[in-house]
Amino acid sequence: MGIRTGRQYLDKLNAMTPHVVIDGEVVSEKIAEHPAFRNVARSYAKLFDMQHDPAHQEALTYPSPSTGDLVNASFLVPRTVEDLQRRRRAISTWAEFSNGFLGRSGDYMNSSLTALSTAQKWFAQADPKFGENIRNYYEWARENDVLATHTLIPPQVNRSVSGSEQMGGQLTAHIVEEREDGIVVSGARMLATIAPIADELLVFPSTVLRGTPEDAPYSFAFAIPNDVPGLRYLCRTSLYNGGSTHDEPLASRYEEMDAVAIFDNVFVPSERIFMLGNPQLCNAFYTETGAGALMTHQVVTRTIAKSEFFLGLASELADSIGIDGFQHIQEDIAELIIDVEIGKALVRASEADAQLNEAGMMLPKWSTLNAARNWYPKIAQRFPQIIRKFSASGLMALPGEADVNSEAKADIDTYLQGKTLTGPERVRLFKLAFDASISGFSGRQSLYEYFFFGDPVRMAGALVNTYDREPVRARVREFLNRQE
Ligand SMILES: Cc1cc2nc3c(=O)[nH]c(=O)nc-3n(C[C@H](O)[C@H](O)[C@H](O)COP(=O)(O)OP(=O)(O)OC[C@H]3O[C@@H](n4cnc5c(N)ncnc54)[C@H](O)[C@@H]3O)c2cc1C
């Protein structure tokens, strides 16, 4: 089959029968028509349609090695640096469409599955059938253009103990039964973004298990359809308030729902299990298979598009009200320019220094990507701050679309015009600034980017512990020992 159209994606979603709880309602049919999911599902549908658009098809697709049908380029196993660049071109084509605000476009999980599919030998350390299972699942996802999300961490009940120690080990998702034909799982995982509008849920290793035998029931990787019996999603309230694309330009298009994933005796058939009962291997799931590197390559590419969007928005705002000549405004714009250029440099450096791994996959340089993923969550917090600072009371002197189209228009024309924009144009621009800097949608975006790869504090610790600092320390010691 290969690439799907947006219509095919929406029809499949509407035919699914998940258990999605939102605002006191259980939604289990026609999910793509529910007000909380309708618009974002249509934004995702546009991504699918772009694959068929002659203007983007070449960038977004490649012929499947098994069928010759066109499939998404994020499934391409990189064997050369050119393949990595090819992947980046596809990723940035989608990212530029949403300006990086769709954080769970399919290419994110596709990147993970692509790397995992090559790691047969690594999976064979536990059982060769796991390697075969992930390879088959990857091929199935590629040929059916599946949209997946993932859920990794245990519920946030008591972080001073491990997930497996909470409520006698009953709280976090765990294996309750091992059968001939599969496993049964109960408990919960903290969060799964876009769960209600995805086809599949990847329940992948919970970050940093203790590696002791007691953690075995919590150590697994598997995939399930989003409407499998016993799986419930508990959503937060939507951050889209029902406004028009004029009034809520970002939330009305890109509000990606987050949901708690609850497993109530969910059966997982053997062929969809990729790892079982092996905490040590689960802890190395992303690093040793190359999945972490390909996923981060996708994320850094997406976030470049987002940084560029904020640079563009800040520049438009500054111009519109004549503050672009002030030094501190220029200093902030310079900061955004530097962020864009650093992001681009990091992703390209990761490609330039890529190396083939044991499985013959061209792996972008991990230490470079690791620096990028530790850096971006922090600098991304500055973006809305800069937009707020530039816009000031312009974010409050801000009527809506209905006012622009009412008798108030005369006042808007007169009092809300900008230096370079008419009143209605300026209102439209500042609505975008509002949605990018102080709306509920923007607050979630900041939180999302901050915690994207996990807790930045512990990520920094992991960076320190894994980065080879010995050569630079040796240089300092050598310098201290110099006699002249
Ligand atoms: C918008 C959004 C979407 C998300 N989507 C997904 C998703 O699709 N799939 C998914 O799997 N996850 C998702 N996550 C979860 C994300 O992976 C976590 O937010 C991240 O791993 C941090 O975990 P936590 O939120 O449980 O924070 P916690 O671990 O509970 O941390 C809370 C605070 O306590 C501190 N803290 C806790 N433990 C320690 C410690 N041992 N040492 C030092 N400090 C500590 C942290 O620094 C932090 O300040 C999402 C999160 C957000 C915010």
Side-chain angles (χ1 to χ4, degrees):
M1 178 180 128
I3 47 172
R4 286 192 288 176
T5 61
R7 190 67 260 162
Q8 285 171 315
Y9 157 70
L10 292 171
D11 286 348
K12 158 102 189 299
L13 207 54
N14 278 333
M16 289 178 83
T17 54
H19 185 111
V20 176
V21 180
I22 180 159
D23 293 331
E25 184 188 355
V26 177
V27 189
S28 48
E29 55 176 18
K30 296 210 179 324
I31 200 98
E33 309 310 319
H34 189 279
F37 314 122
R38 190 182 186 286
N39 292 9
V40 68
R42 273 151 187 81
S43 292
Y44 270 77
K46 284 192 181 125
L47 297 182
F48 283 100
D49 280 338
M50 281 173 78
Q51 302 180 115
H52 297 267
D53 180 343
H56 301 299
Q57 190 164 77
E58 199 274 321
L60 282 172
T61 66
Y62 77 110
S64 156
S66 56
T67 63
D69 292 342
L70 290 180
V71 292
N72 191 275
S74 57
F75 285 113
L76 175 72
V77 175
R79 304 288 182 199
T80 62
V81 168
E82 288 70 35
D83 285 346
L84 283 174
Q85 292 165 345
R86 172 102 186 65
R87 291 177 54 84
R88 172 158 54 87
R89 203 147 51 88
I91 294 162
S92 57
T93 299
W94 267 0
E96 284 171 17
F97 165 76
S98 74
N99 288 302
F101 284 101
L102 287 179
R104 279 294 195 277
S105 48
D107 46 5
Y108 180 48
M109 285 299 105
N110 298 351
S111 299
S112 170
L113 293 174
T114 300
L116 294 170
S117 76
T118 66
Q120 307 288 306
K121 256 181 146 175
W122 184 83
F123 282 101
Q125 295 177 83
D127 191 330
K129 79 170 183 243
F130 292 144
E132 284 163 34
N133 289 351
I134 191 80
R135 170 92 213 163
N136 292 338
Y137 184 79
Y138 154 80
E139 287 190 5
W140 172 78
R142 184 186 68 198
E143 299 307 318
N144 292 281
D145 207 8
V146 164
L147 176 62
T149 187
H150 68 173
T151 189
L152 312 177
I153 61 164
Q156 189 187 44
V157 172
N158 178 359
R159 288 289 189 245
S160 63
V161 296
S162 82
S164 53
E165 288 169 294
Q166 296 180 2
M167 226 176 81
Q170 299 305 301
L171 200 109
T172 190
H174 60 285
I175 301 166
V176 288
E177 191 187 344
E178 283 197 49
R179 296 180 5 191
E180 273 289 282
D181 55 347
I183 54 172
V184 178
V185 176
S186 281
R189 284 276 172 96
M190 181 80 171
L191 226 48
T193 296
I194 69 153
I197 61 155
D199 301 302
E200 291 270 318
L201 177 67
L202 309 180
V203 186
F204 276 6
S206 163
T207 38
V208 199
L209 296 152
R210 288 167 304 177
T212 58
E214 295 80 61
D215 268 356
Y218 313 93
S219 310
F220 42 70
F222 61 80
I224 44 176
N226 262 339
D227 57 356
V228 76
L231 175 64
R232 298 194 292 271
Y233 287 126
L234 186 55
C235 298
R236 59 169 167 76
T237 296
S238 174
L239 297 168
Y240 166 49
N241 302 306
S244 64
T245 52
H246 176 286
D247 286 351
E248 294 183 76
L250 298 173
S252 67
R253 295 175 167 110
Y254 307 132
E255 153 59 342
E256 293 178 310
M257 180 54 69
D258 309 291
V260 180
I262 299 157
F263 306 83
D264 186 355
N265 287 301
V266 171
F267 173 67
V268 186
S270 305
E271 66 274 14
R272 278 170 161 264
I273 299 172
F274 315 128
M275 187 57 68
L276 199 59
N278 197 324
Q280 303 279 10
L281 286 180
C282 278
N283 283 340
F285 195 78
Y286 293 100
T287 47
E288 291 184 7
T289 59
L294 280 202
M295 290 165 84
T296 310
H297 185 249
Q298 187 274 346
V299 175
V300 178
T301 305
R302 174 184 66 80
T303 53
I304 290 168
K306 201 166 185 181
S307 305
E308 287 174 334
F309 170 84
F310 276 97
L311 171 60
L313 178 59
S315 305
E316 288 290 302
L317 287 167
D319 203 36
S320 76
I321 54 169
I323 58 171
D324 49 325
F326 299 131
Q327 272 183 330
H328 69 112
I329 298 295
Q330 293 191 342
E331 189 182 21
D332 286 348
I333 293 178
E335 182 181 329
L336 293 171
I337 293 170
I338 292 163
D339 291 340
V340 166
E341 291 301 321
I342 290 177
K344 285 184 187 170
L346 287 171
V347 80
R348 290 185 61 182
S350 78
E351 292 164 6
D353 295 337
Q355 285 190 329
L356 284 173
N357 72 2
E358 271 192 10
M361 186 171 71
M362 185 57 76
L363 215 55
K365 176 94 169 166
W366 176 242
S367 58
T368 308
L369 292 174
N370 204 7
R373 74 176 195 148
N374 274 271
W375 167 75
Y376 188 81
K378 288 166 192 159
I379 63 125
Q381 305 306 307
R382 284 280 294 142
F383 299 167
Q385 274 176 20
I386 290 172
I387 299 303
R388 286 197 294 271
K389 176 180 153 187
F390 282 23
S391 309
S393 62
L395 291 173
M396 294 294 116
L398 196 53
E401 186 176 24
D403 304 306
V404 175
N405 295 323
S406 75
E407 62 182 24
K409 180 166 182 298
D411 284 338
I412 290 170
D413 283 340
T414 307
Y415 299 112
L416 293 182
Q417 63 184 302
K419 182 185 165 207
T420 58
L421 299 177
T422 66
E425 286 169 346
R426 184 179 171 286
V427 166
R428 185 162 212 144
L429 175 65
F430 275 69
K431 281 287 186 192
L432 181 57
F434 184 99
D435 220 6
S437 68
I438 58 171
S439 67
F441 174 87
S442 72
R444 182 217 172 253
Q445 286 284 320
S446 295
L447 190 74
Y448 181 71
E449 299 298 1
Y450 190 71
F451 284 110
F452 190 96
F453 280 108
D455 172 20
V457 174
R458 279 167 280 169
M459 277 169 55
L463 177 63
V464 171
N465 292 334
T466 54
Y467 193 88
D468 182 11
R469 290 172 289 147
E470 182 46 30
V472 291
R473 293 178 66 167
R475 255 176 41 209
V476 172
R477 291 196 298 270
E478 184 275 330
F479 180 77
L480 289 172
N481 288 333
R482 280 185 204 170
Q483 296 307 315
E484 71 284 349

